[in-house]
């Protein structure tokens, strides 16, 4: 499962659609809060993480992910305009 963390719904839908159309399982996530709720249900194999998010930005979220033993080794691709 790939988590796509992007606040813009159009971009998020495009990312998820593209990944699913080539055979990946993907979940669109709109905020950092939603990301950490999703992580309670399972660990992804990859996170696509937008840098500019409302509230907590992507860099802060990445620091939190890296400081948690459960998610420290999950690959993250940072995305920005």
């Amino acid at each position: 499962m790939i988590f796509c963390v992007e606040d813009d719904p159009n971009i998020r839908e495009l990312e998820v659609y593209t990944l699913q159309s080539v055979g990946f399982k993907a979940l669109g996530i709109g905020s950092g809060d939603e990301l950490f709720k999703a992580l309670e249900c399972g660990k992804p194999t990859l996170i696509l993480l937008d840098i500019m998010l409302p509230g907590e930005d992507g860099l802060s979220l990445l620091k939190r992910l890296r400081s948690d033993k459960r998610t420290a080794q999950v690959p993250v691709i940072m995305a920005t305009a």
Side-chain angles (χ1 to χ4, degrees):
M1 175 69 67
I2 297 173
F3 287 178
C4 300
V5 185
E6 169 62 58
D7 61 314
D8 183 312
N10 295 320
I11 296 172
R12 184 173 61 243
E13 288 174 21
L14 180 62
E15 289 175 343
V16 170
Y17 171 79
T18 302
L19 289 166
Q20 290 176 343
S21 71
V22 294
F24 292 101
K25 292 182 181 180
L27 175 67
I29 297 173
S31 70
D33 289 339
E34 289 180 32
L35 170 61
F36 284 95
K37 286 179 187 172
L39 287 169
E40 292 174 8
C41 299
K43 186 170 79 170
T45 55
L46 173 69
I47 299 173
L48 295 178
L49 182 58
D50 186 19
I51 290 179
M52 297 182 351
L53 294 167
E56 191 171 2
D57 68 23
L59 294 173
S60 297
L61 294 173
L62 180 60
K63 287 179 186 177
R64 287 178 58 190
L65 291 166
R66 292 295 176 246
S67 68
D68 186 329
K69 287 183 181 185
R70 297 174 298 140
T71 57
Q73 298 301 315
V74 174
V76 175
I77 296 174
M78 301 297 291
T80 187

